[in-house]
Amino acid sequence: MKIMFSAGEVSGDIHGEQLALAIRRMDPSAELVGFGGTRMEAAGVRLYKNFADYNVMGIWEVLKNIRRLFALLDGLTAFMREEKPDLLVIIDYPDFNWRLAKRARALGIPVFSYIPPSAWAWRKGRAAKCAKLADEFVAIFPHELPVYEKAGARISFVGNPLVDKVKPEMTRQEARDFFHMPKGKTAVLLLPGSRRQEIELLLPAMLQGARKLLQAHPETVLYLPLADGIREGRIQSMIDAASVPVTLVRDKRYALMAAADAAVATSGTVVMEAALLGLPCVVLYRLSPVSYFVGRLLVHVKHFSLPNILLDESFETELLQDEVTPDRIAEELWRLYPGNPHRAEVTAKLRQACERLGPPGASGRVAEKILAAARRLSAGNQ
């Protein structure tokens, strides 16, 4: 049996890694191929290409890279034609992956969607279009199901794999000692994201906000865990330009997050990871002016922080576009310091949000569904 994966960013690579490991445990004879990152490759997926050179976000940024992305799409189509996988598993990365799914269907290859497009939030008509292309769907959040069920999709929610993945590598005290967090100091993390555009758009404001925070509260120490594939040199040059004392960290990222007291983070998976570790965040989101203008016309959601979405409440501070200023970042981070009432309210709500993610073992349950779909659908094509 041959299963092909397609994941175009770091979060998808993490999910793909867990699926690959689980599938190999259940069926060691399964051959895994596709498009992904270093984690998937280490888990046994033979890559056609690594996504690191194709990782872009925002409408304007995609347009600038459109020729390269279509060349990649053509290359993966030829790869599918040659490899003849029994199933294509697309993981998130919707604008690219659903074009690939359409090519797969034209070649007679069944499609399994893991983390389908956020049709609940915008462009709800996508659910019906996707339902015609994919044979089965698995969502990682329960609020994603109704719009797809209404469209006639075969979709399920079996838990979120972050529940298993996000575990600190040591105790909180061991981590504070390991990262040299002095007693009496408040540790604040800067979490600018994994995409180049996110870093360029948000890290300067984070650094200036951290600088103001440090001036007002000198008991603060700052850390920045580096995401996979991020160039340390570029990050360090931005830190140097801001003249802010920030310690860069490569290893034991979850231990660092569990040991920290507060964080400022780009909206995305890292905010949910922080929630699972009890770390409250100030959540930021900013796009280029063109992308934001178009997005305002298409997206209709009350929240963009995942914990807020899960509870449908605005308990975790969200700063959008022009709200992302150094003063607001510093002000909102201070409210999350130990001893401040707002912190206790936020951490209590984070625990409630995490309960909505379901029990441990999600990746194994999804892997079972992928293997069952591959056997069922490949048999139907014979």
Side-chain angles (χ1 to χ4, degrees):
M1 181 183 301
K2 184 182 292 186
I3 297 171
M4 179 173 168
F5 290 95
S6 179
E9 53 195 347
V10 172
S11 60
D13 193 35
I14 293 171
H15 292 306
E17 172 196 31
Q18 295 305 303
L19 291 179
L21 291 172
I23 288 171
R24 286 199 168 280
R25 285 195 300 270
M26 296 173 188
D27 186 355
S29 67
E31 185 179 356
L32 308 179
V33 299
F35 173 56
T38 55
R39 291 174 179 268
M40 288 170 59
E41 188 171 30
V45 179
R46 174 166 56 85
L47 296 184
Y48 166 75
K49 290 282 187 182
N50 190 301
F51 65 68
D53 294 329
Y54 300 91
N55 199 208
V56 295
M57 64 175 285
I59 296 167
W60 175 241
E61 291 75 18
V62 170
L63 288 174
K64 288 193 298 183
N65 288 273
I66 197 74
R67 292 181 65 182
R68 293 177 64 248
L69 290 170
F70 272 103
L72 172 64
L73 186 63
D74 290 340
L76 282 169
T77 304
F79 182 74
M80 285 192 296
R81 188 180 294 111
E82 181 180 344
E83 294 287 337
K84 297 181 176 61
D86 296 294
L87 184 70
L88 169 65
V89 178
I90 55 174
I91 306 173
D92 203 2
Y93 205 49
D95 290 325
F96 180 89
N97 269 337
W98 285 95
R99 286 182 171 86
L100 186 63
K102 189 174 182 178
R103 303 270 186 107
R105 289 306 294 256
L107 293 172
I109 298 169
V111 177
F112 187 107
S113 170
Y114 184 45
I115 315 178
S118 300
W120 60 273
W122 69 298
R123 289 170 54 195
K124 293 187 178 182
R126 289 181 298 172
K129 294 178 181 178
C130 292
K132 293 177 181 178
L133 289 175
D135 300 272
E136 188 167 351
F137 298 74
V138 173
I140 61 171
F141 295 107
H143 57 265
E144 297 177 295
L145 269 60
V147 67
Y148 281 96
E149 290 172 338
K150 186 177 180 180
R154 178 174 181 162
I155 188 168
S156 59
F157 167 72
V158 294
N160 192 300
L162 290 176
V163 173
D164 295 295
K165 179 69 176 175
V166 181
K167 303 290 183 184
E169 297 88 346
M170 57 185 78
T171 67
R172 176 177 169 84
Q173 188 56 55
E174 288 171 343
R176 290 189 71 90
D177 292 341
F178 180 84
F179 293 110
H180 307 293
M181 297 178 181
K183 188 175 181 180
K185 294 283 188 177
T186 300
V188 174
L189 303 192
L190 310 183
L191 305 170
S194 59
R195 296 172 172 138
R196 287 190 293 271
Q197 289 92 342
E198 291 174 335
I199 293 168
E200 297 294 334
L201 287 170
L202 290 170
L203 183 54
M206 288 185 180
L207 290 167
Q208 292 303 321
R211 185 177 183 179
K212 286 181 174 290
L213 185 71
L214 195 59
Q215 290 170 348
H217 306 285
E219 74 277 12
T220 304
V221 289
L222 303 167
Y223 296 83
L224 193 159
L226 292 163
D228 292 346
I230 295 303
R231 293 181 300 162
E232 183 173 338
R234 176 57 181 151
I235 299 290
Q236 188 63 60
S237 68
M238 296 173 80
I239 292 171
D240 293 342
S243 299
V244 183
V246 180
T247 300
L248 296 181
V249 175
R250 277 277 184 199
D251 302 317
K252 298 179 172 54
R253 185 166 64 96
Y254 291 145
L256 175 66
M257 294 170 73
D261 300 294
V264 54
T266 298
S267 178
T269 303
V270 71
V271 178
M272 201 69 244
E273 291 176 328
L276 286 162
L277 294 165
L279 177 64
C281 294
V282 177
V283 186
L284 314 182
Y285 196 68
R286 180 188 274 171
L287 292 168
S288 67
V290 172
S291 296
Y292 179 63
F293 175 78
V294 176
R296 284 181 60 192
L297 301 176
L298 299 175
V299 181
H300 304 283
V301 294
K302 290 187 288 184
H303 319 287
F304 58 82
S305 165
L306 285 169
N308 285 353
I309 291 169
L310 283 167
L311 294 188
D312 195 21
E313 295 181 31
S314 297
F315 66 89
E316 195 165 50
T317 298
E318 300 174 343
L319 301 179
L320 174 65
Q321 210 68 5
D322 292 340
E323 296 174 329
V324 179
T325 66
D327 286 335
R328 284 297 307 277
I329 291 170
E331 174 189 341
E332 296 297 337
L333 277 172
W334 164 243
R335 297 176 69 211
L336 296 177
Y337 272 41
N340 288 348
H342 181 64
R343 175 191 172 82
E345 295 169 6
V346 172
T347 53
K349 290 290 186 180
L350 288 176
R351 288 191 290 271
Q352 293 179 32
C354 291
E355 290 173 0
R356 303 284 178 91
L357 298 182
S363 291
R365 291 189 288 273
V366 178
E368 288 175 350
K369 284 183 170 290
I370 289 172
L371 286 169
R375 295 185 186 108
R376 181 182 74 251
L377 296 168
S378 63
N381 284 340
Q382 291 176 0

